[in-house]
């Protein structure tokens, strides 16, 4: 909501020179009132109701009953032929990760298309469950006879009808699934599905923010800090994994754009779902560090150390100690002092 307020304010400022402050942007009283792509959230959700009604009309027009296979074929027909929804092969655009954008652009990530499929079927009285298998998120109708999902009729199994090409791709882990192995999969809860969507957004926005530093990841090994005139110690670089300020020069200007803010926002929300996930909190702390929010980074990484395995905590400890010093130096300079802060 805050991001959209700022976008509204920028648009007003560009169109009306006499507007002097972003505070004149519309302040929506609730999330439901805020327009997204020309519609409110309830109006976008009603699109799912409309899709379900189209499926019902398709079943009536063909004088088809409520057999499971026929209902799913009708859902596929409406979603992927009538509505023209397609799966983005590579997640490169954030609009493919938001429901309203997917419904308007008709192209979405695998997880968003699965969410739409689940919600449409729920409106038809059909329960669809899902689980993450390798890089794919697979869905299937809830049934006490999972082996029925893998019986091939008309060239495809029911499992393939729901999940598409990945099931028949020998390179995918989904191609090895059977009725027995399906029972061993952990069914994703709503919280799990939201977590997958947020994790995708974090990766996407971080990739954009670090574009000028190709290959730099949040989990990249931390490098030792060397003085300007000191040569890196190539023999001992794994023993003192501390800071990598040389990587900040290219990232800092990009972090002033919205990608850093959106990545951190998505990370904050994922932490609400997974507060004890030490790896996630470490990554969140590293994003704050790259954004030079040293105080917040120290806080998050210190919490992370309480949950992390002992060997990970040992790596983080000297890094956090250095961050404490950087935080002090930053505070020192903000008070108008010049020169480096020396610690006896």
């Amino acid at each position: 909501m805050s991001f959209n307020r700022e976008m509204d304010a920028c648009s007003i400022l560009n169109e009306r020179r006499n507007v002097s402050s972003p505070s004149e942007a519309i302040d929506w009283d609730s999330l439901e009132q805020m327009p997204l792509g020309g519609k409110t959230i309830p109006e976008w959700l009603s699109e799912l109701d409309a899709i379900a009604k189209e499926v019902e009309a398709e079943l009536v027009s063909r004088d088809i009953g409520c057999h499971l296979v026929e209902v799913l074929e009708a859902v596929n027909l409406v979603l992927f032929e009538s509505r023209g929804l397609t799966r983005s092969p590579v997640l490169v655009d954030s609009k493919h990760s938001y429901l309203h954008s997917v419904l308007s652009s008709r192209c979405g990530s695998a997880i968003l298309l699965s969410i739409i499929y689940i919600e449409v079927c729920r409106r038809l009285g059909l329960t669809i469950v899902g689980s993450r298998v390798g890089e794919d998120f697979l869905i299937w109708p809830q049934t006490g006879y999972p082996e029925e999902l893998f019986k091939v009729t008309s060239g495809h199994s029911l499992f393939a009808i729901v999940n598409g090409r990945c099931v028949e791709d020998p390179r995918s882990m989904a191609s090895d699934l059977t009725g027995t192995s399906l029972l061993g999969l952990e069914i994703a809860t709503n919280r799990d599905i939201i977590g997958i969507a947020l994790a995708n957004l974090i990766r996407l926005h971080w990739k954009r923010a670090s574009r000028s530093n190709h290959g730099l990841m949040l989990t990249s090994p931390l490098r030792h800090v060397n003085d300007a005139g000191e040569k890196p110690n190539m023999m001992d670089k794994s023993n003192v994994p501390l800071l990598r300020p040389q990587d900040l020069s290219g990232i800092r200007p990009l972090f002033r754009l919205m990608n850093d803010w959106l990545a951190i926002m998505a990370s904050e929300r994922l932490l609400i779902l997974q507060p004890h996930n030490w790896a996630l909190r470490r990554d969140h702390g590293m994003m704050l560090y790259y954004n030079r929010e040293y105080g917040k980074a120290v806080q998050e990484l210190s919490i992370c150390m309480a949950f992390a395995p002992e060997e990970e905590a040992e790596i983080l400890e000297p890094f956090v100690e250095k961050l404490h010093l950087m935080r002090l130096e930053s505070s020192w300079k903000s008070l108008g002092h010049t020169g480096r802060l020396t610690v006896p």
Side-chain angles (χ1 to χ4, degrees), residues 21-233:
S21 171
S23 63
E24 294 187 28
I26 299 173
D27 190 8
W28 307 105
D29 294 330
S30 67
L31 190 66
E32 286 72 20
Q33 295 178 352
M34 185 183 69
L36 295 169
K39 296 180 182 179
T40 62
I41 291 178
E43 288 172 337
W44 281 116
L45 292 177
S46 69
E47 284 288 307
L48 298 176
D49 298 331
I51 293 173
K53 286 183 171 59
E54 289 177 29
V55 175
E56 291 174 344
E58 175 65 26
L59 291 170
V60 170
S61 68
R62 294 194 290 175
D63 194 24
I64 293 177
C66 293
H67 190 276
L68 182 59
V69 175
E70 295 165 336
V71 172
L72 293 176
E73 286 178 343
V75 172
N76 283 5
L77 178 67
V78 171
L79 285 178
F80 305 118
E81 294 186 31
S82 300
R83 289 273 179 159
L85 292 178
T86 59
R87 174 178 173 174
S88 174
V90 180
L91 188 59
V92 295
D93 194 332
S94 60
K95 72 179 182 181
H96 297 156
S97 297
Y98 294 99
L99 180 63
H100 70 286
S101 297
V102 173
L103 289 174
S104 58
S105 69
R106 310 198 175 192
C107 183
S109 64
I111 188 67
L112 257 292
L113 292 183
S114 295
I115 290 172
I116 292 172
Y117 206 105
I118 290 170
E119 286 300 308
V120 169
C121 288
R122 184 175 67 83
R123 285 159 169 78
L124 296 168
L126 180 61
T127 300
I128 300 291
V129 296
S131 180
R132 192 163 200 167
V133 179
E135 294 299 316
D136 298 305
F137 184 82
L138 305 177
I139 56 176
W140 62 91
Q142 192 174 46
T143 175
Y145 305 96
E147 61 276 4
E148 295 290 329
L149 300 175
F150 294 88
K151 287 185 178 179
V152 177
T153 56
S154 301
H156 298 283
S157 67
L158 185 57
F159 195 69
I161 289 175
V162 175
N163 291 289
R165 297 176 182 174
C166 68
V167 173
E168 299 168 348
D169 185 349
R171 297 170 298 178
S172 170
M173 291 177 63
S175 63
D176 298 327
L177 286 175
T178 63
T180 302
S181 60
L182 198 66
L183 289 173
L185 296 179
E186 184 175 354
I187 303 299
T189 64
N190 287 346
R191 292 171 67 93
D192 295 332
I193 293 173
I194 293 171
I196 293 171
L198 287 171
N200 287 345
L201 284 171
I202 294 171
R203 286 193 294 269
L204 174 63
H205 290 302
W206 169 253
K207 184 177 180 179
R208 286 182 172 183
S210 61
R211 187 170 293 169
S212 64
N213 294 69
H214 182 70
L216 180 62
M217 301 298 292
L218 289 170
T219 52
S220 297
L222 299 172
R223 293 200 286 269
H224 177 54
V225 176
N226 297 289
D227 293 333
E230 181 184 353
K231 293 183 179 180
N233 185 348

Side-chain angles (χ1 to χ4, degrees), residues 275-279 281-282 298-314 316-317 320:
H276 297 134
N277 186 331
W278 70 267
R281 196 169 292 275
R282 176 202 60 199
V298 166
Q299 179 180 346
E300 292 298 330
L301 292 175
S302 297
I303 296 173
C304 168
M305 289 169 59
F307 296 107
E310 184 177 354
E311 59 273 16
E312 294 290 341
E314 289 176 355
L316 280 172
E317 185 176 3
V320 174

Side-chain angles (χ1 to χ4, degrees), residues 265-302:
M265 268 189 9
S267 181
E268 287 173 346
R269 280 145 184 78
L270 188 51
L271 278 171
I272 294 174
L273 298 177
Q274 304 173 18
H276 297 134
N277 186 331
W278 70 267
L280 174 61
R281 196 169 292 275
R282 176 202 60 199
D283 291 351
H284 183 65
M286 292 304 299
M287 281 191 283
L288 292 168
Y289 160 64
Y290 281 120
N291 202 27
R292 300 190 181 182
E293 297 183 52
Y294 299 136
K296 293 180 180 179
V298 166
Q299 179 180 346
E300 292 298 330
L301 292 175
S302 297

Side-chain angles (χ1 to χ4, degrees), residues 4-15:
N4 277 275
R5 288 193 192 105
E6 293 299 322
M7 292 295 288
D8 290 341
C10 290
S11 297
I12 292 173
L13 286 170
N14 288 334
E15 294 172 8

